[in-house]
Amino acid sequence: MDLPYLKIKGRTLLPVIQGGMGIGISAHSLAGAVAAEGAVGTIASVELRRLHDDLMRHLRRLRDPAASARANLTALDREIQEARRIAGKEGFIAVNVMHAISGYREHVLQAIRSGVNAVIVGAGLPMDLPTLAAEFPKVALIPILSEARGVQVVVRRWIRQKRLPDAIIIENPQFAGGHLGATRLEDVSDPRYGFAIVLPAIRKLWEELGLKSDQIPLIAAGGISSFQKMREIFSLGGSGVQLGTPFAVTSEGDAHINFKRVLADATPNDLVTFMSSAGLPARAVLTPWLRRYLGREGRLRACASPDRSQCPSQTECLVHCGFKDGHSSSGQFCIEAQLAAAQRGDVEHGLFFRGAGQLPFGQKIRGVRELLASLLGETAQTSMEECIPRLAV
């Protein structure tokens, strides 16, 4: 490999982190396969109960938020153990926990107790993560941020807790998929998020804080899908990259084949950015449900009221949910239900998050090993491309 290896917690890894994608898009199959190849495989912790029929059967009788929360922790432990079985004891497995979910603290602790190598936190500033994980110094802690100002705030707070991040993922909202690292739609394409601006600015911050230039690896995320783009990141001072969509469409990805086909077949004109019910901008494919929703979004927002709010699924999955709380500034739909529909391949009703940019193999579905080989400028020993239908029925 011509590129430098990624060093995290004394481990030498391929300089690629597979992004965490919920609900159930990156679970044990994908994360285990990536980790088995020597990169960082990531399970997204949110609403993993959806992947376990026995848990769902039990919950349908209860419709109780507390029971759903417990089931999600059970499912998270199961997914971690199964990923470990695939990856082996040397595989580097991470869990991505959204700071915005109601069970943030519990998910972090469950992931650690279940034996992960790293906890990655996005969708909010994880100011208290070092304190939360203080009893587990061997577990890597990795925040997802988007600009030098946010990095400075988090790192200074962590220093007061006597801990530094073991790496920092820098997400460019102009190209990333799913929930984006900007607070307003009009900021998503702001040039201040460009890697050529952010990465050098963070290196300058390290100097001001008295840190070595390579003390905290910087991982670029958003729009990176080739060996050439990886080389550009390293030339800017990056130590690795994180990719979501290219891994989501691999043969080992945990989602239904219809999900993979929707992402792989999407063109730039099919992608839209809109406000999620989590109160953050998001990027997805303009599928039938999203087209219908956006057509009446203005009316739904105008009708939103805290006086009429309730959680339709009775899961209370987010701390802030514009739909549940009746906040007109956020999306007015149940994000948990729409993402779950996408994961199980419901093209008509699902919400299909996707990053911008071309995929490494275009519309072809290939395996994790071949994807990593392409990113690292190598040739896979064997092709893992699958022959699959355009859509499953």
Side-chain angles (χ1 to χ4, degrees):
M1 183 180 71
D2 293 334
L3 300 173
Y5 285 94
L6 175 63
K7 303 292 183 66
I8 299 179
K9 281 293 185 187
R11 297 287 301 276
T12 300
L13 306 162
L14 296 179
V16 178
I17 295 178
Q18 165 248 311
M21 297 166 284
I23 294 171
I25 306 304
S26 62
H28 74 268
S29 177
L30 178 57
V34 175
E37 296 295 333
V40 178
T42 307
I43 296 169
S45 77
V46 62
E47 296 298 313
L48 286 169
R49 64 191 174 87
R50 289 275 187 176
L51 302 183
H52 298 266
D53 290 341
D54 62 325
L55 298 179
M56 293 301 292
R57 284 195 298 270
H58 177 68
L59 292 172
R60 288 190 189 102
R61 297 193 298 268
L62 297 178
R63 294 184 65 81
D64 173 29
S68 293
R70 291 192 297 271
N72 280 324
L73 296 180
T74 298
L76 176 56
D77 178 67
R78 290 180 183 179
E79 294 294 323
I80 293 170
Q81 302 313 321
E82 188 61 21
R84 178 62 67 196
R85 184 191 67 78
I86 296 170
K89 66 178 183 178
E90 295 302 319
F92 197 96
I93 296 172
V95 164
N96 179 297
V97 182
M98 290 178 59
H99 194 270
I101 63 172
S102 299
Y104 160 70
R105 176 186 177 87
E106 291 77 13
H107 281 225
V108 168
L109 292 175
Q110 181 64 63
I112 292 173
R113 290 164 180 160
S114 295
V116 297
N117 301 97
V119 173
I120 299 172
V121 177
L125 300 180
M127 300 296 197
D128 62 342
L129 186 56
T131 298
L132 186 56
E135 297 180 12
F136 307 95
K138 294 183 180 180
V139 176
L141 304 181
I142 305 174
I144 302 177
L145 302 162
S146 291
E147 55 182 327
R149 181 174 57 182
V151 170
Q152 177 174 248
V153 170
V154 169
V155 171
R156 288 187 183 277
R157 181 70 66 87
W158 283 33
I159 287 174
R160 290 199 288 270
Q161 298 171 71
K162 303 187 186 310
R163 183 95 184 240
L164 288 173
D166 295 287
I168 299 176
I169 295 170
I170 306 299
E171 180 189 81
N172 186 338
Q174 184 174 358
F175 301 106
H179 289 114
L180 307 175
T183 56
R184 304 184 304 168
L185 282 174
E186 53 266 36
D187 291 339
V188 167
S189 298
D190 194 308
R192 75 176 187 268
Y193 294 117
F195 297 129
I197 293 175
V198 178
L199 294 180
I202 295 175
R203 294 296 182 187
K204 184 177 180 180
L205 173 63
W206 291 170
E207 294 179 12
E208 296 173 0
L209 295 175
L211 302 176
K212 297 178 181 178
S213 61
D214 60 351
Q215 192 163 347
I216 302 176
L218 300 179
I219 314 298
I224 302 161
S225 58
S226 68
F227 175 66
Q228 181 58 40
K229 289 185 178 180
M230 287 192 64
R231 291 187 65 176
E232 291 173 6
I233 294 302
F234 278 93
S235 71
L236 294 171
S239 301
V241 301
Q242 176 179 276
L243 298 87
T245 303
F247 279 110
V249 302
T250 57
S251 51
E252 295 93 339
D254 292 271
H256 192 279
I257 185 58
N258 288 357
F259 178 93
K260 300 175 187 181
R261 283 263 55 98
V262 167
L263 269 61
D265 292 342
T267 68
N269 291 334
D270 295 325
L271 303 183
V272 294
T273 305
F274 60 99
M275 286 303 293
S276 162
S277 50
L280 295 167
R283 180 171 290 113
V285 181
L286 189 61
T287 45
W289 173 83
L290 185 54
R291 188 184 299 276
R292 291 193 299 271
Y293 166 74
L294 293 177
R296 56 197 181 97
E297 181 185 37
R299 297 192 299 275
L300 292 172
R301 284 195 182 190
C303 295
S305 170
D307 296 334
R308 298 194 299 271
S309 64
Q310 63 176 348
C311 178
S313 65
Q314 297 185 26
T315 59
E316 305 283 347
C317 60
L318 294 172
V319 174
H320 166 89
C321 173
F323 186 37
K324 171 179 69 72
D325 300 327
H327 291 164
S328 61
S329 62
S330 300
Q332 298 298 306
F333 60 91
C334 178
I335 191 168
E336 191 265 351
Q338 306 312 144
L339 290 176
Q343 195 278 341
R344 63 177 181 266
D346 187 342
V347 178
E348 183 68 24
H349 302 99
L351 171 59
F352 294 75
F353 281 163
R354 187 195 191 280
Q358 294 184 339
L359 296 176
F361 303 114
Q363 295 178 302
K364 297 178 181 178
I365 306 298
R366 298 196 175 181
V368 163
R369 178 174 297 175
E370 197 164 357
L371 172 58
L372 287 170
S374 173
L375 293 170
L376 300 173
E378 300 172 352
T379 301
Q381 293 180 354
T382 57
S383 173
M384 298 179 69
E385 180 178 357
E386 293 184 342
C387 295
I388 56 175
R390 300 299 294 175
L391 278 179
V393 294

